[in-house]
Amino acid sequence: MIDVRRMQILRAVVASGSVTAAAAHLGYTPSAVSQQVAVLEKEAGIALLERVGRGVRPTAAGRLLTEHAAVIGRSVAEVETALADLRSGRTGRLAVRYFTSVGPTLVAPALARLRHEHPGVQIDLKLADPEDPLPEVEKGAADLALVVRPGEGKRQGIRLVHLLDDAYQAVLPTGHPLAARRVLDLADLADQQWVGSEPPGSCLDVMLDACAAAGFSPNFVAVSEDYATAQGLVAAGLGVALIPGLGLGGRRPGVVMRRVRRPRPIRAIYAAVREAALAQAALRTLLEALEAAAKP
């Protein structure tokens, strides 16, 4: 097999016209250069240089390898430039997965900063609801995903960065007897009819676990996987709901919000990133921007 490094040494000898001059340019001794060329000739199975006076010139085989060495050298330089651009964030592609309620408050401002600081980076942005996007990050199909309560323990090759704790609030119809209170115990809602606001998954689990801790299971009479629709159903008097703070941006008329305690349902929101992908400056910028957007 032809050694690429030795091909570049041969190229230097041909360009310089002598082993001694090439050795000076490369920082090697003349004997070391001669040895490398000799090994390359054995690999090629044919003579590569012939003496001309005090110098050398390539044989036909030597010219062939020198030409290919030049092509390889240009390709390596292009690769090194492309890698430098990728590391610095001048180019590249980031695959990002998110769920609906973090879109306006976290994802949008973070992507705006990313676009400003790294305009050459392409973004593959996809809504993951109702699927858990963490497996995509683990498999390498996504570079970053916004996830809720990813579970205990470390995940190999994944960094979990806590962004914020998003507390659920009780949503009641205007004029509901419990609306007169500023703070509700979660058990106060045990006998109420409920409007579901979450699809199956981590967010719904947070709500159901809190209700179980308060000693009851919600009686869902209507289900919506959209927070705005859920509020509309509450306003129509179908029941009460628990909706996280980030989902209350578009508050509808006919409903009131009340803080809940004992226990207070809270969904912990994390950014999950592949450790290997953090070598990209653009991904580090996106993560920093998400942390900044999550600050109160």
Side-chain angles (χ1 to χ4, degrees):
M1 181 179 293
I2 301 297
D3 186 277
V4 174
R5 182 176 60 86
R6 295 190 183 102
M7 287 175 62
Q8 298 302 329
I9 293 175
L10 172 66
R11 180 186 175 196
V13 172
V14 171
S16 301
S18 74
V19 170
T20 302
H25 294 152
L26 295 172
Y28 298 160
T29 64
S31 62
V33 171
S34 295
Q35 290 173 7
Q36 293 298 314
V37 172
V39 173
L40 184 62
E41 286 183 326
K42 289 182 178 179
E43 292 173 344
I46 191 172
L48 302 175
L49 296 173
E50 59 184 0
R51 289 197 171 277
V52 178
R54 295 186 177 181
V56 294
R57 67 185 178 191
T59 64
R63 285 193 299 272
L64 177 66
L65 286 187
T66 300
E67 291 169 359
H68 281 282
V71 173
I72 292 171
R74 288 193 295 271
S75 297
V76 170
E78 291 173 1
V79 169
E80 289 175 343
T81 299
L83 284 173
D85 288 341
L86 183 65
R87 287 193 302 266
S88 66
R90 290 188 292 271
T91 61
R93 174 180 173 275
L94 293 180
V96 180
R97 304 293 179 260
Y98 73 105
F99 54 94
T100 305
S101 56
V102 297
T105 53
L106 298 184
V107 177
L111 290 183
R113 174 176 163 182
L114 178 66
R115 181 57 53 86
H116 175 72
E117 297 188 18
H118 302 280
V121 173
Q122 296 181 341
I123 304 299
D124 172 17
L125 180 66
K126 290 184 180 178
L127 186 65
D129 285 347
E131 300 298 325
D132 179 8
L134 188 55
E136 283 199 64
V137 181
E138 293 177 316
K139 293 184 294 186
D143 299 298
L144 181 148
L146 280 299
V147 298
V148 172
R149 202 171 66 170
E152 300 298 329
K154 293 184 177 181
R155 295 174 182 262
Q156 186 173 4
I158 304 298
R159 181 181 299 182
L160 294 169
V161 180
H162 180 254
L163 296 177
L164 59 89
D165 291 325
D166 190 21
Y168 282 76
Q169 294 191 47
V171 182
L172 311 170
T174 302
H176 190 283
L178 293 175
R181 305 184 194 177
R182 299 185 63 179
V183 181
L184 299 176
D185 289 345
L186 188 54
D188 293 334
L189 303 175
D191 296 331
Q192 300 293 313
Q193 292 184 323
W194 281 61
V195 171
S197 63
E198 301 281 10
S202 298
C203 295
L204 179 60
D205 291 344
V206 169
M207 187 172 66
L208 294 179
D209 288 351
C211 292
F216 72 96
S217 179
N219 174 27
F220 291 110
V221 297
V223 176
S224 170
E225 298 181 358
D226 171 77
Y227 295 137
T229 301
Q231 289 186 52
L233 296 175
V234 172
L238 272 70
V240 302
L242 286 180
I243 296 179
L246 291 181
L248 294 173
R251 186 172 300 185
R252 293 179 59 90
V255 298
V256 295
M257 317 297 174
R258 293 294 181 262
R259 190 164 68 87
V260 179
R261 64 183 181 184
R262 297 177 185 171
R264 189 183 188 193
I266 296 175
R267 61 178 186 175
I269 299 175
Y270 290 79
V273 295
R274 291 190 298 115
E275 292 278 7
L278 283 170
Q280 300 180 54
L283 182 58
R284 295 195 302 272
T285 296
L286 178 58
L287 185 57
E288 292 170 1
L290 286 168
E291 291 181 285
K295 291 180 179 178

